[in-house]
Amino acid sequence: MSNAPAEEIPAEEIDLTEANEVIDKYLKLPGNLMPVLQGIQDAYGYVPKPTIDLVAERLNVYPSQIYGVLTFYAQFHLKPRGRFIIRVCVGTACHVQGAERITETFFGRLGIGHAETTPDLRYTFEKVACLGACGMAPLAMVNDDTFGKMTVQKVDEIIETYNARPMK
Amino acid sequence: MVNLTINGKQVAVEKDATIYDAAKACGIKIPILCHDKKLHPFGGCRMCLVEVEQMKGRLIPACTTPVTEGMIVQTTTDEIVKARKLVLELLLLKHPIDCPVCDAAGDCDLQNLTYEYKVNMNRFVDEKFNHEIDYENPLIERDMNRCIHCGKCARICDEIVSYGAYTFINRGIEAKMGTEFDGPLNCEFCGSCVSVCPVGALNSRPFKFKARWWALQKTKSVCSYCGTGCQLTLGTKDGKVLTTIYDENQGFHNGQLCTRGRFGYQFVNSDKRLTAPLIRKNGKLQEATWEEALAEVTSRLAAGKSDPASVAALATPRLTNEELFLFGKLFRGTVGTDNIDHSAGYAHEALTKGAVASFGVAASPAEIADVQKSNLLLVVKSDAYETHPVIGFEINLGVKRKGIALRIVSDKKGKLTRLPGAKTTVHAPGNEVALFNALCKSVIDQGLAVEGVAGLDALKAAVADATAEKAGVSAEEIAAIAKEFASAEKALIILPIGQGYPGHNAALANAAANLAILTGQVGKEGAGLLIMGEKNNSQGAVDMGIYPKGTGLNAAAIIDGCANGNVKTLFVAGENPVVSYPNRAKVEKALENVEFMVVSDLFLTETAALADVVLPACSFAEKSGTFTSLGRRVQNVRKAIPAIGLAKSDFEILNAISQALGGARYNNQGEVFTEIAASVPAYKGLTQAGLKDEGAVYPVALAAKLVPAAAKAAAPAAGKLALVTGSALYHCGTMSRFGEGPMYVCPDAYAELNVADAAALKVEEGDQVTVTSGTGAVQVVAKVGKRVPQGVVFSPYHFGEGSVNTITDGAEVTYVSVAKK
Ligand code: SF4
Ligand code: SF4
Ligand code: SF4
Ligand code: FES
Ligand code: FES
């Protein structure tokens, strides 16, 4: 993921109970930083800044190092993520099959760009490289659902479908 | 030992050496960028590639590869040179070539290697980095466009400083050296990262565009702030100190300094410096000539000779040994008064009374090198880091690298308490002596006392009722610390002393010494007691006898004497009692009352402003002589620039007065040192030339004995908070207020409260609060955190405005109420 300058991180008051529970669970485990951060991300959907300070204090690790770990691994997110993560492949096969038009259409319809989240937290959009199903290019995914042979029309159908889904 | 051959040379080295170390040992230079002798090997830059006969077919990094028996190494074959050139080309691909405006030019490893390897063109092209430069803080500029990702800044900040400000963030081509959330740097500003950065990515902002590296004159000297006595190199030009220069071969600390040493030098060339003598005429201080000023002072002192008891003199332990010796000789000998002292008495009684009673010498039995040789450090107050930050680095290194156990007994938490494995016992303020007595009792009760120590019975009786409860600590904790301390192979107690720590007095030194003596932790390396004097020459001032020895008045009594008229003439060399002695109103009144006061100082301090004659003195950069650091190391201070304005060194001032009064006269300060070496037993045989760059630790012959120490029962006042005073990390005494660096980072007096107390008082960080005691009231800024426990307020003592001595009266703990302004 791209790094997030301090001013882009929302100043937030969050309930740290779940984060504390995750830390309690792994407190005695050597090398516990990764599972703790993963647990926090599972609980909150991303790693909120106050939880980083909490982890730093409770595990006695520098906050900077936690931030280093979080930005090194693509799996971690520092900003709230959408309920639905739309991934469009821009790998070679998909690119040749017109992935560009698909991404552009999503951008236009959702009003967000790569690695961005809609203000209502419904969608996060990500361009990704080869998803390993080149036969179905161009390819899109929403959370764990796969959509092959994407077209502009299918973009609209996807959005309609997921707009109708509940947020929880 | 391991034998190997490098470029045909035979060399034998320790078995944990690397090829790089081995080459260095036989005088062969292998170029490095990411390696640093003080840090864990990294092996990231590939500049140090060499060829090893036994590992043919690839090039080996010298800095991470351990030596093996019979290794045959080549360090500069054509292939190696080619590889190094490639490394440089790749680094220069992204690195901007802005050497003409880069402050590191001339001191840049990348520039020097590019020159050495004649990399005058690049086969590759790429865009340069486009990172924003961090100008947010006033001391360190971070231009990550110039960064070569050597990782040294992050490693030193972690491994030695233990602050951990930096980390590599992101991955691959986007990776950069950054901070948490890629925000601006906000740390303790020790400048260690700047000093090790091999390029111009991290720069000292106060030095920015001040001078080219090669135009600087470099003078090796000693830091004039705290008692650690870090060696430093002053970079000067046109009579100005422009920077401190990093030299990794200087001192036990390998050139590392704290924020005061690194960024606090600006007081030397401050435009607030006094440049001419001042005489009070018609109630106002007015410029005068040296002749007039000295005539006034000498006639006063000459008159005082007939009534020596009416003369008193205070000297700052910032002066050189030579100046202090002359000071003592002038007042004790020529004038004939024993009313001489420094630092309000209590700040050094741990040495002059405590250590003398317990060890028979007015010095620490331990030296700095013992810190890393110990197995267990027992630190009194987490503030040991704030008072002596570079000793703090030694503690960090010892704990993290050597696994030395760290136990802290303190009235608050601090940076040291976060070190891995550190155990902190937080006790109620003012309970230190009670705590050490309880430890001694526990040692005795557990049968851990060594046999036949002198004074054991008296101590047993004295600590018979010294319970953990009286120290406000759990019995289990006391028993555990006592056991660990007694059973450690080598255990060392670290005790910082100074004007901010009125409780760290003779009794505490005795109480701490008792624990060490009782457990046999004295008289061997890595053990004993390290008493850390606050100022650069605190130990020297004691060695030169600047304290009343007979019936003379100590500093507190001198102030009283000024108030009641018994003291009529007061000579103050560099002290600032108005801000640093307890009870400011009382001190001010006394100094206003004394008939005649002369002050020599660099600045028109709060005290100098009350004087009848003010003499402009020289800073450490304008004079030569010696300082004696904590742990008894005598070191050379060297003149780096000519005197500012008409200022004279205290040596010159005292020498002139002494001569006018018919006392001794010296041709130069060096002659005084010769006399010191002849008359101060500990300094016997030392010469300034013989001290060279590294200085010399003078030996002590210990006569250890147990000396019962009485614990005062603290009497907490209901509904009040316990105020403890001390040092802020960025300051030392009252002089650092004239250094831009420390003042940028910590400009104002403050009171630090626990979050719970702050919430109860409805006080938030940054609020103005009034702190009131029985002595007075003061307004300061509130700081809120978890460092201080509930019921305690901490306030540093360095500041003239909102000075905490307005509300203290020399007691170990002052009970105060705090209210939002
Ligand atoms: S100045 Fe000191 S504390 Fe700050 S980042 Fe550099 S090394 Fe770390
Ligand atoms: S800022 Fe300097 S010390 Fe830090 S990684 Fe970059 S080049 Fe190395
Ligand atoms: S203030 Fe003390 S610790 Fe800091 S550089 Fe100077 S002597 Fe060293
Ligand atoms: S390139 Fe898109 S799935 Fe492989
Ligand atoms: S100096 Fe050896 S790899 Fe950098």
Side-chain angles (χ1 to χ4, degrees), chain A residues 88-95 99 128-139:
Chain A
V88 174
C89 176
V90 294
T92 315
C94 294
H95 175 77
V128 291
C130 188
L131 285 165
C134 310
M136 294 160 71
L139 194 75

Side-chain angles (χ1 to χ4, degrees), chain B residues 31-35 42-49 61-64:
Chain B
I32 49 172
L33 280 171
C34 71
H35 185 66
F42 184 61
C45 75
R46 306 279 129 171
M47 196 58 213
C48 62
L49 294 174
C63 72
T64 52

Side-chain angles (χ1 to χ4, degrees), chain B residues 75-94:
Chain B
T75 69
T76 36
T77 61
D78 287 350
E79 200 194 337
I80 293 169
V81 170
K82 235 172 96 189
R84 289 186 188 148
K85 275 190 162 180
L86 175 66
V87 167
L88 289 166
E89 275 178 290
L90 290 172
L91 286 173
L92 292 168
L93 193 55
K94 286 287 192 188

Side-chain angles (χ1 to χ4, degrees), chain A residues 99-120:
Chain A
E100 191 77 2
R101 275 193 52 211
I102 308 299
T103 54
E104 290 303 324
T105 312
F106 272 114
F107 289 171
R109 300 288 196 272
L110 299 174
I112 53 171
H114 167 64
E116 289 178 0
T117 301
T118 54
D120 64 359

Side-chain angles (χ1 to χ4, degrees), chain B residues 320-393:
Chain B
T320 63
N321 285 322
E322 294 72 11
E323 291 167 338
L324 291 164
F325 183 84
L326 188 49
F327 179 92
K329 194 163 166 162
L330 169 64
F331 288 98
R332 258 205 189 104
T334 311
V335 177
T337 178
D338 193 32
N339 302 334
I340 68 174
D341 205 353
H342 72 274
S343 291
Y346 56 73
H348 59 260
E349 272 185 3
L351 289 167
T352 59
K353 292 197 178 140
V356 168
S358 292
F359 301 114
V361 286
S364 295
E367 51 176 293
I368 293 175
D370 287 315
V371 173
Q372 297 230 31
K373 292 182 188 156
S374 186
N375 303 108
L376 175 109
L377 301 173
L378 176 60
V379 180
V380 183
K381 273 214 172 140
S382 56
D383 288 27
Y385 189 90
E386 271 82 351
T387 56
H388 299 81
V390 172
I391 300 287
F393 293 174

Side-chain angles (χ1 to χ4, degrees), chain B residues 458-475:
Chain B
L459 184 76
K460 266 186 191 165
V463 300
D465 59 350
T467 55
E469 198 187 356
K470 281 200 181 143
V473 179
S474 78

Side-chain angles (χ1 to χ4, degrees), chain B residues 25 45 164 203 255-256 278 296 313 322 343 355 390 412 497 526 560 588 597 678 746 807:
Chain B
C45 75
N203 286 304
Q256 239 42 86
L278 306 172
E296 183 116 17
E322 294 72 11
S343 291
V390 172
K412 62 185 159 305
I497 58 170
D560 290 341
E588 274 173 328
M597 174 164 74
C746 182
I807 55 173

Side-chain angles (χ1 to χ4, degrees), chain A residues 1-7 9 47-49 52-53 56-65 67-69 71-74 78, chain B residues 157-159 161-172 174 176 178-184 400 417-421 786:
Chain A
M1 64 158 293
S2 67
N3 65 42
E7 60 275 14
I9 299 298
V47 185
K49 184 172 189 308
I52 298 180
D53 298 334
E57 176 154 347
R58 293 202 54 198
L59 300 190
N60 204 3
V61 196
Y62 306 124
S64 66
Q65 285 179 344
Y67 184 74
V69 169
T71 56
F72 184 84
Y73 295 101
L78 287 158
Chain B
C157 192
D158 167 14
E159 293 173 32
V161 185
S162 281
Y163 189 89
Y166 296 124
T167 183
F168 278 115
I169 58 180
N170 302 325
R171 249 184 321 171
E174 286 189 1
K176 86 171 193 189
T179 56
E180 186 195 6
F181 283 95
D182 204 10
K400 296 210 285 195
T417 59
R418 306 263 313 161
L419 287 178
K786 293 185 186 157

